[in-house]
């Protein structure tokens, strides 16, 4: 990893380098994705199955595209019993955390005949995209499905690519345990298009959530507006903010936990300690001799791996806020105090024992997080993503009579005569509106 003494110039260069990983930079693929989405919108299942044959070399029909009860039963026979126990424990933690996010409708009544409120309504049907190509992530199944179930979504439809006509048993078991209603063996941009527009086989959903490759990300971007989406996810990233108290071996291991995702992942250490910086780079070299995905990690670190030396913890916090990382580990003398000064991070892990994979798999908070600096304005996936809020307004005749001239005056100021008339017509005897 490159050790860089941070200056205004090097900071700008590094931030520019990191932003190149954003899906918004891959415009050369947008035309291809747009064509796939439009074909599926126009031709439905025909295009969906043709693209699946073209890209995944799988022959699907309306009769075999849906995962059957027998396939799910077979998955339970194949999954490691110990993994099943872990999935169920993780589910308990994730469900417990998200239940605390549950929203309720509220109404506020006043004595003069006014009632205002907010009605919470779960989405009716949600589509969950689950990767199934180079890697399989049953943990992402849990993280996407559980908040939707807690929110009260009526139907959860999952799509995932298959290998040789078969979906990963781990994915199927995780989906069944979490409460997915129906699963389809399709992936890629064509699956996103099918969820967004509907086909004869796959129903149209209200919102699409879940990570995927660049084609999936761009397809979600393309269908936004026809349906809701969670976010346009970019490559994984971790930033560790540490001082001289941090254990370099732990820090190195945590940085590599995200670098192994893919060549575009970023791993950054921000530290006030030159000694820690040197020690971490040495530990990284040692781990690379042992880890199974070392080739991917090396490419990731060559492009997006940095050790940034700062003059003070305050400067370190400023750098973190500029990066706005997906995952932030804070390993300082007082991580709780440091945490209060950070504004931009998807998830924060405090202290030496809160390793980032704890959040990926088990602790309970959602691991679907904002990437590529979008933690400046986005939040982790939550129950809020699966409900709608409707404003409720009730005024009695007496209540409206007290304020109708004020409303008419406001409407007149904006030259919206129909607005003024809508209120004035109810009180023509004393209206300030004369048409």
């Amino acid at each position: 990893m490159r050790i860089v003494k941070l200056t205004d110039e090097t900071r700008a260069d590094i931030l520019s380098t990191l932003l190149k990983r954003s899906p918004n930079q891959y415009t050369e693929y947008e035309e291809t994705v747009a064509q796939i989405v439009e074909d599926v919108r126009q031709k439905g299942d025909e295009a969906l199955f043709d693209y699946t044959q073209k890209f995944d070399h799988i022959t699907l029909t309306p009769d075999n595209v849906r995962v059957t009860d027998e396939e799910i039963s077979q998955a339970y026979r194949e999954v490691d019993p110990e993994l099943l126990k872990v999935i169920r424990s993780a589910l308990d933690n994730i469900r417990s955390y998200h239940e605390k996010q549950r929203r309720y409708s509220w109404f506020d009544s006043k004595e003069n005949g006014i009632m205002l409120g907010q009605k919470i309504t779960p989405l009716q049907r949600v589509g969950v995209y689950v990767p199934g190509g180079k890697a399989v992530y049953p943990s992402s199944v849990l993280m996407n499905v559980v908040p939707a179930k807690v929110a009260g979504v009526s139907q959860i439809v999952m799509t995932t690519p298959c290998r040789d006509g078969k979906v990963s048993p781990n994915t199927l078991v995780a989906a069944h345990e979490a409460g997915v209603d129906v699963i389809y063996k399709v992936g890629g941009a064509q699956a996103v298009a099918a969820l967004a527009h509907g086909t004869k086989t796959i129903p149209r959903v209200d919102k699409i959530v879940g990570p995927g490759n660049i084609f999936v990300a761009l397809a979600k971007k393309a269908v936004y507006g026809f349906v809701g989406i969670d976010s346009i996810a970019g490559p994984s990233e971790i930033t560790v903010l540490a001082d001289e108290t941090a254990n370099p071996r732990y820090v190195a291991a945590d940085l590599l936990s995200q670098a192994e995702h893919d060549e575009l992942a970023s791993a950054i250490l921000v530290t006030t300690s030159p000694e820690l910086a040197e020690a971490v780079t040495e530990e990284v070299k040692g781990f690379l001799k042992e880890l199974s995905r070392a080739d991917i990690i090396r490419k990731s670190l060559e492009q997006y791996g940095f050790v940034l030396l700062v003059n003070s913890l305050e400067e370190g916090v400023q750098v973190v806020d500029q990066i706005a990382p997906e995952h932030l580990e804070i390993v300082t003398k007082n991580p709780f105090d440091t945490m209060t000064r950070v504004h931009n991070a998807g998830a924060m892990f405090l202290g030496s024992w809160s390793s980032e994979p704890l959040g990926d798999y088990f602790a309970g908070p959602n691991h679907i997080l904002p990437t590529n600096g979008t933690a400046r304005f986005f939040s982790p996936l939550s129950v809020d993503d699966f409900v709608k809020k409707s404003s409720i307004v009730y005024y009695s005749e007496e209540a409206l009579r007290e304020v109708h001239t004020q409303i008419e005056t406001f409407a007149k100021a904006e030259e919206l005569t129909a607005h003024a008339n809508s209120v004035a017509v109810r009180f023509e005897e004393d209206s300030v509106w004369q048409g």
Side-chain angles (χ1 to χ4, degrees):
M1 297 180 71
R2 289 160 287 178
I3 299 177
V4 179
K5 176 64 176 176
L6 209 59
T7 65
D8 289 343
E9 183 179 354
T10 56
R11 182 185 304 192
D13 287 344
I14 290 168
L15 290 173
S16 176
T17 297
L18 294 175
L19 288 175
K20 292 177 182 177
R21 302 156 56 251
S22 169
N24 292 322
Q25 301 297 318
Y26 289 83
T27 54
E28 68 267 30
Y29 300 121
E30 287 187 344
E31 185 176 344
T32 298
V33 169
Q35 185 61 59
I36 294 171
V37 170
E38 181 61 18
D39 284 348
V40 174
R41 188 179 76 85
Q42 294 283 355
K43 301 177 184 177
D45 283 341
E46 177 187 351
L48 176 65
F49 298 150
D50 283 349
Y51 279 118
T52 300
Q53 177 68 54
K54 178 180 179 179
F55 296 132
D56 299 333
H57 311 294
I58 300 294
T59 301
L60 293 177
T61 69
D63 296 326
N64 69 0
V65 67
R66 178 171 174 168
V67 172
T68 65
D69 291 342
E70 175 52 37
E71 286 174 297
I72 293 174
S73 297
Q74 180 61 33
Y76 272 90
R77 291 190 286 270
E78 295 179 22
V79 76
D80 184 340
E82 286 303 310
L83 176 60
L84 180 56
K85 291 180 183 178
V86 173
I87 286 174
R88 288 173 173 168
S89 294
L91 261 175
D92 287 342
N93 294 341
I94 297 165
R95 188 178 295 113
S96 176
Y97 181 88
H98 287 83
E99 282 176 349
K100 294 179 176 63
Q101 299 176 336
R102 194 192 300 269
R103 298 273 189 153
Y104 298 93
S105 300
W106 59 267
F107 302 93
D108 182 18
S109 297
K110 301 180 184 300
E111 292 181 0
N112 58 349
I114 298 173
M115 184 183 73
L116 305 176
Q118 180 174 270
K119 181 178 180 291
I120 302 296
T121 306
L123 301 182
Q124 292 183 290
R125 182 183 291 132
V126 166
V128 175
Y129 186 93
V130 177
K134 292 182 179 179
V136 175
Y137 300 111
S139 61
S140 287
V141 177
L142 308 185
M143 295 293 181
N144 281 286
V145 174
V146 170
K149 296 293 289 186
V150 171
V153 172
S154 300
Q155 185 182 39
I156 299 175
V157 178
M158 189 176 104
T159 64
T160 185
C162 57
R163 298 175 183 174
D164 301 322
K166 182 179 179 181
V167 177
S168 160
N170 294 345
T171 297
L172 288 184
V173 167
H176 188 263
E177 291 288 321
V180 172
D181 295 291
V182 57
I183 305 169
Y184 294 98
K185 306 173 189 175
V186 290
Q190 63 270 23
V192 173
L195 290 170
H197 297 294
T199 71
K200 188 174 181 179
T201 300
I202 297 179
R204 180 182 179 182
V205 301
D206 301 315
K207 188 166 191 174
I208 301 172
V209 300
N213 62 20
I214 187 62
F215 293 98
V216 171
L218 291 176
K220 288 170 69 176
K221 181 180 178 182
V223 301
Y224 178 63
F226 293 98
V227 292
I229 63 171
D230 51 350
S231 64
I232 304 170
S236 188
E237 56 199 37
I238 183 172
T239 296
V240 179
L241 176 60
D243 60 18
E244 71 281 358
T245 66
N247 183 314
R249 187 166 177 81
Y250 297 171
V251 171
D254 293 352
L255 290 168
L256 300 186
S257 73
Q258 296 308 293
E260 77 170 338
H261 272 293
D262 62 56
E263 292 88 346
L264 294 178
S266 72
I268 299 173
L269 169 61
V270 179
T271 182
T272 55
S273 170
E275 293 76 18
L276 179 71
E278 294 289 350
V280 167
T281 58
E282 289 303 311
E283 292 287 354
V284 165
K285 293 175 184 177
F287 282 129
L288 284 174
K289 298 175 183 178
E290 307 169 5
L291 298 172
S292 61
R293 295 169 69 87
D295 288 343
I296 292 174
I297 294 172
R298 285 191 184 92
K299 291 178 182 177
S300 169
L301 296 182
E302 285 171 6
Q303 300 178 91
Y304 306 110
F306 298 95
V307 177
L308 306 181
L309 282 172
V310 293
N311 295 314
S312 66
L313 193 57
E314 180 181 354
E315 184 185 6
V317 170
Q318 292 173 357
V319 172
V320 165
D321 275 342
Q322 286 186 291
I323 296 171
E326 177 187 19
H327 307 99
L328 172 64
E329 289 191 6
I330 300 176
V331 193
T332 59
K333 289 178 183 177
N334 189 340
F336 291 93
D337 175 70
T338 306
M339 175 265 293
T340 64
R341 289 180 271 157
V342 174
H343 295 90
N344 304 328
M348 301 187 202
F349 301 81
L350 309 182
S352 294
W353 304 104
S354 303
S355 175
E356 187 280 334
L358 177 67
D360 276 350
Y361 296 113
F362 201 76
N366 210 288
H367 79 199
I368 309 297
L369 302 167
T371 58
N372 285 113
T374 60
R376 292 183 297 112
F377 46 83
F378 277 143
S379 303
L381 192 72
S382 73
V383 171
D384 282 349
D385 288 290
F386 299 98
V387 298
K388 301 177 295 180
K389 306 174 184 73
S390 300
S391 301
I392 304 298
V393 178
Y394 168 79
Y395 268 56
S396 67
E397 179 182 351
E398 177 186 358
L400 184 59
R401 185 180 296 278
E402 291 180 6
V403 299
H404 76 92
T405 59
Q406 298 177 57
I407 300 167
E408 293 164 28
T409 298
F410 221 145
K412 286 173 65 178
E414 295 186 350
E415 299 182 356
L416 296 176
T417 58
H419 280 64
N421 186 61
S422 175
V423 175
V425 72
R426 291 168 165 80
F427 305 101
E428 292 179 311
E429 72 280 4
D430 62 351
S431 171
V432 300
W433 169 247
Q434 302 301 324

